[in-house]
Amino acid sequence: MKVPVLRLSGLGKRFGSNTIFSGVDLDVLPGDRIAILGASGSGKSTLLRCINFLEHPDEGRIEVGGQLIGHVTGPNGPAVVRYDERELNQLRQRIGMVFQQFNLFPHMTAIANVMEGLVTVRRLAKPEARSKALEQLSRVGLADKADAYPAHLSGGQKQRVAIARALAMEPEILLFDEPTSSLDPALVGEVLGVIEALANEGRTMLLVTHEIGFAYHMATRVVFIANGGIYESGTPDEVLKSPKRALTQQFVADHRRFQF
Amino acid sequence: MTYRWNFASVFDNWQALAMGLAGTLKLSIVCLILGLSLGLLVGFGRRARRAPIRWLSTAFVEFFRNTPVLIQILWFYFALPMIAPIEVSPFLAAVLGITLNAAAYSSEIYRGGIQSIEPGQTEAARAIGMSGLQTLRRIVIPQAVRRILPALTNRGIEIVKTSTLASVVAYVELMQQGKLIASLNFNPIEAYTVVGVMFMLLLYPFVRATYAIERRLARSD
Ligand SMILES: Nc1ncnc2c1ncn2[C@@H]1O[C@H](COP(=O)(O)OP(=O)(O)OP(=O)(O)O)[C@@H](O)[C@H]1O
Ligand SMILES: [Mg+2]
């Protein structure tokens, strides 16, 4: 049996008294491509952000490559997992994240954005970092934009640079949070094309998206989030073609209404 | 009746003015460096996770922002030696008064600058494994500096001009020397005019330099 690259068990997150989700169990095997769907505000982003600890989960465990992140404390009373900043910094290098708003560093050129992690975090020498960064930029088709500042790039190009920036750290898992939602429709294709190419390489990824057609074609598994947890999950055919539960059926119907 | 300007009587005292200029430069540079660095610390203090640090920083800002620098300098010079066993020179009193005031004002500029950087920037930096400190140094501060440079320039100019208040404790700087020349030669109008023009000549190149830096930093737009 393969060891999951990522295992969530009993994961829960609250903001104040507002429970966003609880009891989330998820095993991600190497090469899995998991599409996470759900209504706006259902907690998809929060779940993704907990996986690389941009938010700290309030309960449950996260294991990456078979290893528990953090350490369990409290022999008396409920076990609590405490996290160590240094460990989290290490962990985040192994988990790439691509944001809806790209979040490129505007004061750096495209290639400097991609080099940043290699130089500052990995401490590679500049020339080596540069050639690695150029490799990643070529892979997303932007080698010729290496010296352009983000302000001079289109939305689609920005997102491709952001993907290259994540790839440069050679992550074991890629997290995409609605990577095409803030793009002009005409630019969505170029970004989805890059993600598809990564999928074809067999990369492990979790993708939050409203592009339900894309999810159907590229995901190995679809997870539908509702009511503060995983509401329904299965193969794309199971969840998107013949959903079993009411909210999933409603969601799929809403999203397919205007497709042709 | 026309006034007969007599600048010669001022320029005859060029040695006194040169001493004053040296004093102004020394005081200004020390206060610029200390005031603007302490301001950065206090600016971060106001956003600290620990509440006592936040309260202290806020109290500091409100206290020094809302009391006149002139009074602070006088107080450090006359009152501080009475409550603490230290000797306070005119220079030290002026440095304390001006620096603490500059720190209070500039901390607000820094705080605004840091707050204006979108959280997404920090998140993207943390997401590639950068530490909090690396994120500040590489991502947040460089962008914040671009945004606050004009405000910081103003503050810097203000610090240099505030150095004239040191004359209240007879620290030898341009204003003090202007006073001296005026009282010896009965030419206050000329003496203060010359001092004013000297400040202009001192500050203008500094302002031009910051414009050049702003242009250089704007390359990424
Ligand atoms: N930092 C925060 N503090 C308080 N509440 C938050 C915070 N972040 C998110 N929330 C709340 O958590 C809930 C889930 O938000 P989240 O962004 O995870 O939803 P989502 O499924 O990604 O929605 P969308 O499809 O609109 O992106 C929302 O009600 C949101 O208001
Ligand atoms: Mg979201």
Side-chain angles (χ1 to χ4, degrees), chain B residues 7-84:
Chain B
F7 283 109
S9 62
V10 180
F11 293 127
D12 285 346
N13 294 292
W14 66 270
Q15 279 161 317
L17 287 175
M19 269 176 70
L21 181 63
T24 293
L25 281 175
K26 181 175 151 199
L27 181 59
S28 299
I29 290 169
V30 169
C31 292
L32 278 169
I33 293 172
L34 293 181
L36 296 182
S37 334
L38 183 62
L40 185 62
L41 279 183
V42 177
F44 279 118
R46 298 201 68 181
R47 297 172 45 81
R49 217 169 299 164
R50 278 178 244 269
I53 299 180
R54 279 204 308 276
W55 296 331
L56 270 176
S57 310
T58 306
F60 173 88
V61 170
E62 295 310 343
F63 182 78
F64 285 103
R65 201 162 58 152
N66 297 312
T67 45
V69 182
L70 188 64
I71 297 201
Q72 285 168 29
I73 296 174
L74 284 171
W75 192 89
F76 283 122
Y77 191 60
F78 292 111
L80 191 56
M82 295 199 289
I83 53 172

Side-chain angles (χ1 to χ4, degrees), chain B residues 140-157:
Chain B
V140 176
I141 292 178
Q143 291 184 60
V145 163
R146 278 168 177 71
R147 290 188 196 176
I148 65 178
L149 200 61
L152 225 43
T153 303
N154 274 339
R155 190 45 35 203
I157 292 171

Side-chain angles (χ1 to χ4, degrees), chain A residues 41 43-46 100 177-178 208 210:
Chain A
K44 308 179 296 294
S45 296
T46 306
Q100 182 176 347
D177 191 359
E178 300 197 37
V208 172
H210 286 293

Side-chain angles (χ1 to χ4, degrees), chain A residues 63-233:
Chain A
E63 285 163 58
V64 175
Q67 270 192 315
L68 175 71
I69 305 305
H71 56 274
V72 181
T73 58
N76 22 3
V80 181
V81 187
R82 297 226 171 271
Y83 301 104
D84 166 59
E85 271 306 309
R86 204 122 31 97
E87 183 188 17
L88 296 186
N89 292 340
Q90 296 274 333
L91 172 76
R92 291 193 189 102
Q93 297 177 44
R94 300 166 58 190
I95 303 179
M97 177 125 184
V98 175
F99 302 86
Q100 182 176 347
Q101 301 296 342
F102 330 130
N103 296 345
L104 287 185
F105 307 131
H107 58 305
M108 298 180 182
T109 58
I111 194 154
N113 266 274
V114 182
M115 287 166 67
E116 185 58 29
L118 297 173
V119 174
T120 304
V121 180
R122 288 277 160 79
R123 306 238 171 258
L124 293 192
K126 283 257 171 76
E128 193 187 351
R130 202 178 163 81
S131 78
K132 284 194 182 224
L134 204 56
E135 219 173 278
Q136 298 304 336
L137 280 179
S138 313
R139 170 187 226 160
V140 299
L142 287 174
D144 58 324
K145 294 286 182 192
D147 295 316
Y149 282 97
H152 301 286
L153 298 175
S154 73
Q157 291 170 332
K158 282 184 201 160
Q159 193 60 299
R160 283 148 67 198
V161 173
I163 293 172
R165 176 174 67 181
L167 290 175
M169 303 305 281
E170 298 170 341
E172 294 153 46
I173 308 168
L174 282 168
L175 309 177
F176 293 91
D177 191 359
E178 300 197 37
T180 59
S181 291
S182 52
L183 292 179
D184 225 46
L187 303 176
V188 168
E190 63 186 72
V191 172
L192 293 185
V194 168
I195 299 173
E196 187 181 27
L198 293 172
N200 291 337
E201 288 174 15
R203 290 208 173 240
T204 310
M205 54 177 88
L206 277 73
L207 170 78
V208 172
T209 183
H210 286 293
E211 303 280 342
I212 189 169
F214 185 68
Y216 178 78
H217 287 291
M218 66 77 74
T220 53
R221 202 139 47 97
V222 174
V223 167
F224 182 72
I225 307 273
N227 291 350
I230 294 180
Y231 181 83
E232 183 164 353
S233 72

